[in-house]
């Protein structure tokens, strides 16, 4: 065996061991209980059904009271943990570029009236067009994407959205801090390709690109098919009647092919899953902004945010649906290689959905019935830290497949398969957590007594367009009769 093949597992083992030590240092209060809870999450067989079941794992040497005590009274140095996540090796695209995907995933708590800071989360029901707004905790998550067909991502950050939060402003601050950490840790250096941020149609991509001006970042977002863009301002022609020169050019209507004109670039690619994929690009298109919503308090004249519009059309879709997608890229002068990179990077954005499914269905991210939103944040960071350890252990894992499963190459193992053998890797790395001290359980509430301190009930946070909190009208409250006109 060559020295290169021998050093690769050693480097991966050193990275995993260093991250585990750094994770333990980030747990500033009740660190032993939180660290063993994270190990129990990684070593438990099968999906996590309830939180208290993790206390039965051999890796969790403490009682179930310590488990809940760590989440409720523990402390995590989130800033240091974010730097640790940005310091580990990150996946890159074929050209060495970092590709970040951002999306919001909800932790639904519809019946938890004693939980504060709940907001209405947009969810999809079972059925066509069944959009629902369910109370819960929405989290904005940013992850680095890999190239090729994979379900792996590198989650870098998570922020819980407060009720009435401006998603574009929170996402902008989140991406700005991530890029600055990547520059501080050496993941991005001057001369490297700019970081590409990919987002879905729920984000205002032109506004986010404007707010991120000055950073080595490119923004790629999906647009609705009913949007209207404007072309650059035409050259000014002398008009004897006078008047103000036009600020915007002709309209580019997505639903009207007669307004498209000549493309900047056209590419045709044969894909295995979608058949022939045709991408058309039009240069220097911008939305017409008005002083409302997010631009209501903008100082000075409204900006003109130019970019490239890409229309992707495929021959077939495996599960039906719309076979045309509109994208907006924050750069201009797109070449055919840039167009291909844009739509291929957008398709890789759906790998983040696999991460959300792993978090919720396998790691049990949304299974605990926690009352405090701060405890929910601690559990979220433990799940992210556990997933980061699975990614670092990926080169070291062996395929412990079920008898009915097909053999898989070591570098093609899914996160769930890597988790099956993490207990063997943990035995080699050890645990920095100290042994539990013998103690006795507290007396608790006397038998037969009632709990006279009932928990406070909270309404789901709703904020009006003016920024003020929503209050229910007096004639809608319980116990009041509606006013009748005479």
């Amino acid at each position: 065996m060559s020295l290169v093949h021998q050093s690769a597992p050693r480097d991966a083992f050193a990275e995993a061991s260093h991250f585990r030590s750094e994770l333990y240092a980030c747990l500033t209060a009740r660190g032993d209980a939180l660290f063993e809870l994270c190990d129990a999450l990684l070593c438990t067989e099968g999906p996590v059904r309830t939180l208290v079941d993790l206390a039965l794992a051999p890796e969790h040497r403490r009682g179930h009271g310590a488990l809940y005590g760590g989440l409720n009274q523990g402390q995590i140095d989130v800033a240091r943990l974010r730097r640790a996540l940005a310091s580990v090796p990150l996946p890159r695209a074929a050209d060495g570029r970092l590709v970040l995907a951002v999306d919001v995933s909800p932790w639904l708590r519809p019946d938890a009236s004693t939980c504060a800071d709940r907001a209405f989360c947009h969810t999809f029901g079972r059925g066509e067009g069944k959009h629902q707004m369910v109370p819960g905790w929405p989290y904005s998550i940013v992850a680095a994407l890999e190239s090729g067909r994979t379900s792996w991502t590198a989650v870098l950050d998570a922020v819980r959205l407060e009720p009435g939060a401006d998603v574009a402003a929170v996402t902008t601050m989140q991406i700005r801090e991530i890029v600055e950490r990547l520059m501080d840790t050496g993941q991005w250096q001057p001369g490297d390709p700019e970081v590409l941020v990919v987002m879905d149609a729920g984000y205002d991509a032109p506004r986010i690109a404007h707010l991120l001006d000055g950073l080595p970042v490119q923004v790629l977002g999906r647009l609705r098919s009913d949007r209207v863009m404007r072309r650059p301002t035409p050259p000014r022609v002398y008009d004897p009647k006078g008047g103000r020169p036009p600020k915007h050019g002709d309209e580019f209507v997505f639903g009207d092919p007669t307004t498209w004109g000549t493309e900047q670039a056209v590419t045709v690619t044969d894909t295995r899953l979608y058949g022939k994929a045709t991408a058309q690009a039009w240069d220097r298109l911008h939305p017409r902004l008005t002083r409302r919503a997010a631009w209501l308090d903008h100082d000075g004249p409204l900006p003109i945010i130019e970019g490239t519009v890409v229309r992707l059309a495929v021959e077939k879709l495996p599960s039906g649906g719309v076979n045309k997608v509109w994208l907006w890229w924050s750069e201009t002068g797109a070449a055919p290689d840039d167009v291909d990179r844009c739509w291929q990077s957008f398709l890789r954005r759906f790998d983040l959905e696999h991460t959300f499914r792993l978090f919720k269905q396998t790691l049990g991210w949304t299974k605990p019935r926690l009352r405090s939103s701060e405890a929910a944040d601690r559990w979220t960071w433990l799940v992210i830290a556990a997933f980061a350890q699975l990614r670092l252990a990926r080169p070291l894992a062996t395929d412990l497949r079920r008898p009915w499963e097909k053999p898989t190459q070591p570098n093609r193992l899914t996160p769930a398969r890597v988790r099956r053998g993490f207990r063997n890797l943990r035995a080699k790395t050890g645990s920095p957590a100290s042994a539990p001290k013998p103690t006795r359980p507290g007396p608790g509430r006397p038998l037969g007594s009632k709990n006279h301190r009932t928990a406070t009930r909270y309404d789901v946070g709703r904020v009006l367009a003016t920024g003020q909190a929503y209050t229910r009208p007096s004639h809608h409250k319980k116990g009041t009769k509606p006013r009748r006109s005479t």
Side-chain angles (χ1 to χ4, degrees), residues 234-271:
R236 186 175 181 180
V237 180
Y238 173 74
D239 187 359
K241 296 182 180 180
R244 186 180 62 180
K247 186 177 180 181
H248 308 280
D250 298 334
E251 290 185 346
F252 183 94
V253 184
F254 289 4
D256 187 2
T258 60
T259 63
W260 295 353
T262 306
E263 304 91 339
Q264 171 77 12
V266 180
T267 63
V268 180
T269 307
D270 292 330
T271 62

Side-chain angles (χ1 to χ4, degrees), residues 152-458:
W152 286 93
T153 61
V155 179
L156 297 176
D157 193 22
V159 173
R160 177 171 49 83
L161 300 177
E162 299 289 342
D166 188 350
V167 179
V170 175
T171 303
T172 301
M173 183 61 65
Q174 199 175 5
I175 296 174
R176 182 178 296 275
E177 293 177 353
I178 289 175
V179 173
E180 291 176 354
R181 286 196 296 269
L182 294 176
M183 297 172 65
D184 294 339
T185 56
Q187 298 282 5
W188 188 92
Q189 298 178 359
D192 294 345
E194 293 184 335
V195 180
L196 180 62
V197 181
V198 187
M199 55 192 63
D200 208 355
Y203 293 88
D204 190 353
R207 182 190 173 201
I208 294 178
H210 174 72
L211 296 176
L212 291 176
D213 188 23
L215 287 179
V217 170
Q218 300 177 4
V219 176
L220 175 66
R222 183 164 72 95
L223 301 177
R224 300 191 312 269
S225 59
D226 58 350
R227 290 289 298 269
V228 177
M229 290 284 177
R230 291 301 185 101
R231 299 184 186 276
T233 305
R236 186 175 181 180
V237 180
Y238 173 74
D239 187 359
K241 296 182 180 180
R244 186 180 62 180
K247 186 177 180 181
H248 308 280
D250 298 334
E251 290 185 346
F252 183 94
V253 184
F254 289 4
D256 187 2
T258 60
T259 63
W260 295 353
T262 306
E263 304 91 339
Q264 171 77 12
V266 180
T267 63
V268 180
T269 307
D270 292 330
T271 62
R272 180 190 63 86
L273 192 60
Y274 305 104
K276 184 178 295 184
T278 304
Q280 304 167 272
W282 291 269
D283 195 22
R284 298 188 63 188
L285 295 178
H286 65 273
R288 181 181 179 181
L289 305 179
T290 57
R291 288 195 178 276
R292 62 178 183 177
W295 301 98
L296 184 62
D297 299 329
H298 181 76
D299 297 333
L302 295 177
I304 295 179
I305 311 171
E306 291 186 341
T308 302
V309 172
V310 179
R311 180 180 181 268
L312 174 64
V314 297
E315 287 184 338
K316 60 181 180 179
L317 289 179
S319 58
V322 181
N323 60 347
K324 300 178 182 62
V325 175
W326 291 90
L327 306 175
W328 185 87
W329 185 41
S330 60
E331 299 295 317
T332 57
D337 294 340
D338 298 327
V339 176
D340 287 339
R341 182 175 65 251
C342 285
W343 70 263
Q344 292 174 7
S345 299
F346 176 76
L347 295 184
R348 291 268 62 84
R349 189 206 70 84
F350 293 96
D351 295 341
L352 191 57
E353 304 295 336
H354 297 290
T355 301
F356 293 156
R357 187 178 297 111
L358 175 79
F359 279 12
K360 296 181 179 181
Q361 298 182 2
T362 303
L363 300 182
W365 173 37
T366 58
K367 295 299 182 181
R369 296 296 180 257
L370 301 174
R371 178 181 298 177
S372 172
S373 57
E374 290 78 9
D377 294 343
R378 298 185 192 102
W379 172 246
T380 300
W381 280 110
L382 288 183
V383 173
I384 294 175
F387 181 68
Q389 295 182 61
L390 291 178
R391 192 174 62 86
L392 294 176
R394 182 181 175 186
L396 307 173
T398 57
D399 187 13
L400 303 179
R401 65 184 182 90
R402 302 289 189 262
W404 55 86
E405 294 176 344
K406 296 181 180 179
T408 306
Q409 299 179 0
N411 58 345
R412 300 294 300 175
L413 293 178
T414 61
R417 284 200 177 186
V418 174
R419 180 170 172 256
R420 294 176 186 174
F422 192 86
R423 177 170 289 173
N424 301 330
L425 176 64
R426 178 189 176 277
K428 299 178 181 179
T429 58
S431 176
S434 59
K437 299 179 181 179
T439 184
R440 294 181 180 179
R445 193 167 65 232
L447 185 63
S449 62
K450 296 182 179 180
N451 183 15
H452 297 285
R453 295 183 298 177
T454 58
T456 306
R457 263 60 177 176
Y458 300 93

